[in-house]
């Protein structure tokens, strides 16, 4: 079973994790599969976290890894409170673009129509 | 007078156990009187500590064979106490006390330098009102106490 669903729009990838918990037990698999997608088509990335209730530092590390892979052109949307708490604690909110929804995320990475 | 509520888990020393264990921790804390943000932070700290033990405390086949992890959670009403015990390799001396404090902003202009890991101990150190780590012949014991309010 895949840990996320993926859609490729003309100007961006949209990856939606399907696990409620993005922890160290799924992080390696998530990272490698997401990087493989980006490698094939080097577009900006939207991470839609609507289904994610919890991430740990390994999950956060995946976000940073993906951010590097798309040269910083990444936006997170539908970010829940527990996820936001970790992002804020580690100050990653200073570098990760976090917006409300998918439309705003697409706009943020320059892929809005 | 509030009633003591406890949860004792003994997950196997492998990362595949982490998600299910974390879900039980989350469910236990959801019934506590802790504020939402304190609850999330404590859950995060417990998961980081478990992940650390599962990944690094039992590196050899011999250690794996005798590995023991025990997580005790006690809800005292006005505070929640967590004791994570294991018989593996301890966290190096001073590592938890000297964990990163997240006191400076990452530099977005230097993407390659951004950290993709190494947050775990800093999160454990920051996840509760009281964080204590003891290591000795009886094993390693991490005690977290989060008070309500």
């Amino acid at each position: 079973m895949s840990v996320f669903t993926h859609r490729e729009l003309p100007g961006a990838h949209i990856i939606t994790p399907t696990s409620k918990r993005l922890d160290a037990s799924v992080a390696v698999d998530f990272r490698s599969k997401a990087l493989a997608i980006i490698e094939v088509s080097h577009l900006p990335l939207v991470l839609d976290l609507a289904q994610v209730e919890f991430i740990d530092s390994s999950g956060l590390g995946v976000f940073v890894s993906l951010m590097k892979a798309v040269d910083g052109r990444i936006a997170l949307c539908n970010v829940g409170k527990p996820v936001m708490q970790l992002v804020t604690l580690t100050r990653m909110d200073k570098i990760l673009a976090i917006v409300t929804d998918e439309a705003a995320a697409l706009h943020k990475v320059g892929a809005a129509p | 007078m509030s009633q003591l509520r406890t949860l004792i888990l003994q997950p196997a020393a492998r990362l595949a156990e982490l998600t299910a264990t974390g879900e039980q921790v989350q469910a236990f804390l959801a019934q506590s009187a802790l504020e939402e943000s304190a609850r999330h932070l404590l859950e995060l700290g417990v998961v980081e500590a478990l992940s650390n033990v599962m990944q690094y405390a039992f590196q050899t086949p011999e250690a794996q064979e005798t590995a023991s992890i025990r997580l005790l959670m006690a809800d005292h009403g006005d505070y929640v106490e967590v004791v994570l015990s294991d018989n593996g390799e301890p966290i190096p001396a001073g590592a938890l006390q000297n964990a990163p404090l997240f006191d400076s902003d990452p530099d977005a202009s230097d993407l390659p330098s951004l950290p993709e890991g190494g947050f775990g101990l800093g999160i454990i150190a920051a996840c509760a009102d009281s964080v204590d780590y003891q290591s000795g012949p009886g094993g390693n014991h991490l005690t977290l106490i989060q008070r309500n309010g």
Side-chain angles (χ1 to χ4, degrees):
Chain A
M1 193 180 110
S2 181
V3 288
F4 59 73
T5 60
H6 165 244
R7 284 178 290 150
E8 184 173 330
L9 304 186
H13 295 289
I14 300 180
I15 286 180
T16 305
T18 49
S19 304
K20 286 183 181 175
R21 302 179 71 84
L22 260 184
D23 60 27
S25 70
V26 297
V28 173
D29 191 33
F30 191 108
R31 177 190 279 111
S32 64
K33 286 177 174 159
L35 287 175
I37 286 169
I38 292 164
E39 206 169 282
V40 171
S41 172
H42 194 67
L43 294 169
L45 174 63
V46 169
L47 275 176
D48 184 342
L49 304 182
Q51 296 177 51
V52 178
E53 295 177 358
F54 174 90
I55 64 166
D56 68 4
S57 62
S58 298
L60 182 64
V62 172
F63 297 169
V64 176
S65 183
L66 297 179
M67 182 184 188
K68 291 179 182 180
V70 295
D71 300 320
R73 299 172 303 162
I74 188 173
L76 279 56
C77 64
N78 295 311
V79 180
K81 278 186 192 172
V83 178
M84 198 62 215
Q85 203 168 348
L86 172 60
V87 172
T88 307
L89 172 71
T90 54
R91 299 203 183 208
M92 286 299 167
D93 57 322
K94 307 294 183 191
I95 56 163
L96 287 165
I98 298 169
V99 296
T100 52
D101 55 24
E102 188 179 298
L106 287 168
H107 181 75
K108 191 77 184 176
V109 298
Chain B
M1 197 175 121
S2 59
Q3 198 176 354
L4 177 68
R5 198 167 55 86
T6 59
L7 173 71
I8 297 174
L9 300 173
Q10 292 183 295
R14 50 196 179 88
L15 210 46
E17 298 273 316
L18 185 63
T19 300
T21 309
E23 284 172 345
Q24 292 184 74
V25 170
Q26 182 186 42
F28 181 84
L29 290 174
Q31 293 178 50
S32 75
L34 293 181
E35 288 174 5
E36 189 181 22
S37 60
R39 208 170 66 223
H40 293 156
L41 196 54
L42 186 58
E43 177 189 350
L44 178 60
V46 174
V47 170
E48 293 290 346
L50 274 167
S51 173
N52 200 56
V53 169
M54 288 170 172
Q55 290 185 85
Y56 306 117
F58 305 103
Q59 300 278 10
T60 65
E62 294 78 22
Q64 276 283 342
E65 238 172 61
T66 57
S68 169
I69 301 174
R70 183 176 184 270
L71 178 68
L72 164 67
M73 301 188 67
D75 180 0
H76 297 264
D78 53 352
Y79 69 98
V80 173
E81 180 181 21
V82 180
V83 182
L84 176 62
S85 303
D86 71 86
N87 64 345
E89 283 295 314
I91 296 172
L96 197 53
Q97 291 85 348
N98 298 317
L101 295 171
F102 311 120
D103 54 359
S104 62
D105 292 343
D107 182 3
S109 67
D110 186 11
L111 275 181
S113 76
L114 293 176
E116 296 178 36
F119 300 109
L121 291 180
I123 291 169
I124 296 168
C127 77
D129 293 321
S130 166
V131 178
D132 179 63
Y133 185 73
Q134 302 291 332
S135 183
N140 313 307
H141 307 281
L142 174 72
T143 304
L144 310 172
I145 293 175
Q146 184 69 53
R147 294 180 186 83
N148 185 24

